[in-house]
Amino acid sequence: MRGLCARHGCRFIVNDDVELAIAIEADGVHLGRGDGSVRRARERLGERAIIGVSCSGSIERAVEAQAEGASYVAFGRFYPSSTKPDAPPAQIETLRQVRGLIGLPVCAIGGITADNAAPLIEAGADMIAAVEGIFGAADIRAEAARYAALFHRPFSAVP
Ligand SMILES: Cc1ncc(COP(=O)(O)OP(=O)(O)O)c(N)n1
Ligand SMILES: Cc1ncsc1CCOP(=O)(O)O
């Protein structure tokens, strides 16, 4: 996976496991609650590593993650998710609020498809994470391109 990502100019981020990320020289790690401290991960991985932190719907968690050295924060789930049906819901308004409070890139996750992602991007999501929406598609490459295109079109101004 690491080699494949490198060949395609794609970052490789390991889920949950800081030591695995170090062992395989990944670009970074993504941490949820219970996956260890962000500060400790930064100490172990160094200043260049990408450290993402799941915040569910908690702005406080995002502020804390930024203070501890996170590279990006993730909110969600925004829509019902068949991949993680028990994930607690987050509000789109939270994306708007967090923009004014922290300077880190914000990722949105949970039931997001190329057809329902636009309001999240308009509310401030810099990145979209998706499983079913991409890997459930008949043409995975084409579907991924549809998500990417959402970041390259002008959006209507949202107050
Ligand atoms: C953006 C993003 N969110 C979550 C994950 C990891 O998923 P999971 O380990 O099931 O969830 P958390 O407990 O970390 O919220 C990811 N890789 N990327
Ligand atoms: C890891 C995670 N966290 C909240 S929802 C979710 C699963 C995302 O998968 P899908 O895009 O298929 O809903």
Side-chain angles (χ1 to χ4, degrees):
M1 281 292 288
R2 179 175 167 273
L4 190 66
C5 288
R7 279 199 296 285
H8 291 275
C10 185
R11 304 291 173 82
F12 181 37
I13 298 178
V14 168
N15 195 34
D16 297 347
D17 193 330
V18 172
E19 297 308 316
L20 177 61
I22 293 169
I24 64 172
E25 299 179 2
D27 294 301
V29 71
H30 184 95
L31 301 175
R33 278 213 185 279
D35 297 333
S37 106
V38 179
R39 203 181 299 280
R40 172 82 179 133
R42 178 59 71 202
E43 286 168 6
R44 293 286 293 136
L45 288 161
E47 65 181 25
R48 288 171 59 88
I50 297 168
I51 300 177
V53 178
S54 293
C55 300
S56 187
S58 169
I59 291 177
E60 292 75 17
R61 172 78 177 132
V63 170
E64 183 184 277
Q66 175 172 259
E68 290 186 8
S71 312
Y72 71 89
V73 289
F75 289 87
R77 55 114 179 143
F78 285 100
Y79 303 112
S81 167
S82 54
T83 306
K84 197 164 177 178
D86 296 336
Q91 306 305 316
I92 292 183
E93 186 55 30
T94 300
L95 293 175
R96 262 185 256 284
Q97 291 169 358
V98 84
R99 290 244 60 103
L101 289 172
I102 66 167
L104 298 179
V106 173
C107 181
I109 190 168
I112 304 173
T113 68
D115 295 315
N116 67 18
L120 303 170
I121 298 170
E122 287 174 354
D126 301 293
M127 300 177 279
I128 297 292
V131 179
E132 180 71 23
I134 291 179
F135 294 103
D139 185 338
I140 291 169
R141 182 191 295 251
E143 203 58 26
R146 288 186 67 217
Y147 283 82
L150 293 170
F151 290 92
H152 299 299
R153 69 173 176 79
F155 289 109
S156 59
V158 175

